Amino acid sequence: MMEINERCDLTDSMLSVIEILKEEKKRSSVHTYTAVLHSFTDFSGGREAGMQLGEVFLSGRLREYQEWLRQKGLSWNTVSTYIRTLRAVYNRLYPPGSVGYNPKLFAGMYTKVESKTKRALTVNQMQMLINTDLDLLPEDVRSALTWFILMFLFRGMPFIDLANLRKTDIKGNTIVYCRHKTGKQIVVGIPREAFDLLQRFADKNPASPYLFPILNGRLKDEWQLYRCYLEALHNINKKLEKVSKLLLPGVKISSYTARHTWAALAFYQGMSLGIISKALGHSSIRVTETYLKPFENEKVDEANDLLIASLTYLKQDCARGCTGL
């Protein structure tokens, strides 16, 4: 464990944290921390000067960085991710209660996570995608739409979990796998609508352990595999943009839309939060609530419309009864 003082270098300190994250196999965190380090280095002019901890972790300096991120055009959610990452680094270097720890350092910084835009499709839009004849689509987007549909059919399965499915994960009419993010075991029944897609788009290479030809089955190194996944994620999102232009003009679709769509449509059909949370493999119902928060007002408005309609019908019945007197 390196000795921490105000003259320690941010780059070395963050790289030491990144190494710890690598050992913990937290690949997504490694990707984020690396991006934040590069970003802050750019903010500092690409120089080591001004990168000492005592000059980085200052309220004024952090606020300047936050403003710089906004001027670069980053969304508030992305800004929040970067600031929270720096806070996590700070808490690792200066654990709460230790000498030098400032509990108010990040006070007033933007660290919220808000879902301001809907990332779910409507019933009609999802029906359009599911019922599309894949053979009528350009060849380069067929697999992308297939992965999207399968993610929806498999209860909003994340793309990283779909990509990492193994042929051995098929157990009869179910898929048994561990969520990449939490390690939690998930058992998903295979809907009959998915069987044809499974047979048609499954990886036919007997040497590959993967169920679908998304990741390179020859790669053994975990970090090479993760980079392969990031490239696959980029490719599917680019192809889904093309799918949306062809089938749902004006509607944005990404790999994550399938997960949010499943959750939203299940919510609209009256499925309980507990069941939705279990189906998605969330760690708690609170996580599920963040998915569904953008749709709460619509749900309340629908209930209000039904209430008003019932009163209107009651008034009409009363009027008809009064006329008959």
Side-chain angles (χ1 to χ4, degrees):
M1 188 74 175
M2 66 183 296
E3 182 180 349
I4 302 298
N5 59 64
E6 291 189 347
R7 298 191 63 80
C8 285
D9 182 79
L10 177 67
T11 300
D12 290 340
S13 300
M14 284 196 70
L15 288 177
S16 70
V17 174
I18 289 171
E19 286 303 314
I20 293 173
L21 294 172
K22 285 182 178 180
E23 292 175 3
E24 296 173 349
K25 297 184 178 180
K26 296 181 178 178
R27 302 179 186 87
S28 179
S29 294
V30 169
H31 182 73
T32 300
Y33 278 55
T34 303
V36 173
L37 176 57
H38 290 164
S39 171
F40 202 92
T41 301
D42 290 342
F43 163 68
S44 300
R47 302 184 301 273
E48 291 299 317
M51 294 285 281
Q52 291 178 347
L53 298 184
E55 298 175 344
V56 170
F57 290 115
L58 295 172
S59 296
R61 183 74 161 160
L62 292 172
R63 281 182 170 78
E64 289 176 1
Y65 176 57
Q66 179 172 281
E67 181 60 28
W68 181 81
L69 291 173
R70 286 294 292 164
Q71 291 177 356
K72 296 282 286 185
L74 275 66
S75 69
W76 276 115
N77 273 352
T78 301
V79 170
S80 174
T81 298
Y82 281 36
I83 298 300
R84 285 184 288 113
T85 299
L86 281 178
R87 184 176 62 185
V89 171
Y90 178 77
N91 287 337
R92 278 182 180 257
L93 299 177
Y94 300 95
S98 64
V99 177
Y101 176 73
N102 180 1
K104 298 182 179 180
L105 179 62
F106 288 87
M109 301 295 293
Y110 190 82
T111 56
K112 297 179 181 178
V113 180
E114 296 182 358
S115 181
K116 296 182 178 179
T117 58
K118 297 177 183 178
R119 288 187 285 180
L121 302 179
T122 65
V123 171
N124 290 337
Q125 290 169 342
M126 196 63 218
Q127 285 177 335
M128 164 71 78
L129 297 183
I130 287 180
N131 294 322
T132 293
D133 187 340
L134 295 173
D135 291 328
L136 298 180
L137 294 177
E139 187 173 354
D140 64 325
V141 300
R142 291 175 193 168
S143 60
L145 180 55
T146 298
W147 309 147
F148 185 91
I149 293 172
L150 285 173
M151 285 186 285
F152 177 84
L153 295 176
F154 295 155
R155 299 188 334 215
M157 180 182 290
F159 181 64
I160 192 168
D161 289 344
L162 184 83
N164 279 282
L165 286 180
R166 310 291 174 125
K167 294 172 182 175
T168 54
D169 291 336
I170 300 290
K171 311 291 184 183
N173 292 333
T174 63
I175 297 175
V176 182
Y177 73 101
C178 290
R179 275 207 66 194
H180 183 271
K181 186 174 183 178
T182 64
K184 184 178 181 180
Q185 186 182 78
I186 304 291
V187 180
V188 179
I190 303 175
R192 57 183 178 82
E193 292 83 358
F195 279 107
D196 288 342
L197 295 176
L198 277 172
Q199 293 178 357
R200 180 175 176 181
F201 289 91
D203 194 331
K204 304 300 192 298
N205 181 1
S208 174
Y210 297 110
L211 181 59
F212 300 112
I214 299 174
L215 300 181
N216 188 336
R218 295 190 300 274
L219 295 177
K220 303 300 180 183
D221 181 79
E222 292 182 354
W223 295 103
Q224 288 182 344
L225 276 171
Y226 186 65
R227 285 193 288 270
C228 181
Y229 157 73
L230 291 178
E231 183 178 351
L233 178 63
H234 174 76
N235 288 335
I236 186 177
N237 284 331
K238 292 296 291 184
K239 291 177 181 179
L240 286 175
E241 288 181 10
K242 188 171 182 180
V243 169
S244 64
K245 290 179 181 178
L246 291 171
L247 302 178
L248 298 172
V251 178
K252 292 184 178 181
I253 304 176
S254 73
S255 60
Y256 224 63
T257 306
R259 186 165 174 80
H260 278 268
T261 298
W262 187 90
L265 297 187
F267 178 64
Y268 278 131
Q269 291 196 358
M271 191 178 295
S272 72
L273 283 178
I275 294 178
I276 295 175
S277 181
K278 182 177 178 60
L280 294 174
H282 282 161
S283 57
S284 70
I285 291 181
R286 290 185 62 183
V287 178
T288 310
E289 289 174 339
T290 64
Y291 269 55
L292 303 175
K293 190 173 182 179
F295 307 97
E296 287 178 352
N297 284 339
E298 287 188 10
K299 192 75 170 177
V300 173
D301 285 340
E302 288 179 5
N304 187 48
D305 290 341
L306 290 174
L307 175 62
I308 294 173
S310 68
L311 296 175
T312 302
Y313 294 145
L314 187 62
K315 179 179 179 181
Q316 292 173 349
D317 290 342
C318 181
R320 283 194 294 269
C322 292
T323 303
L325 290 177

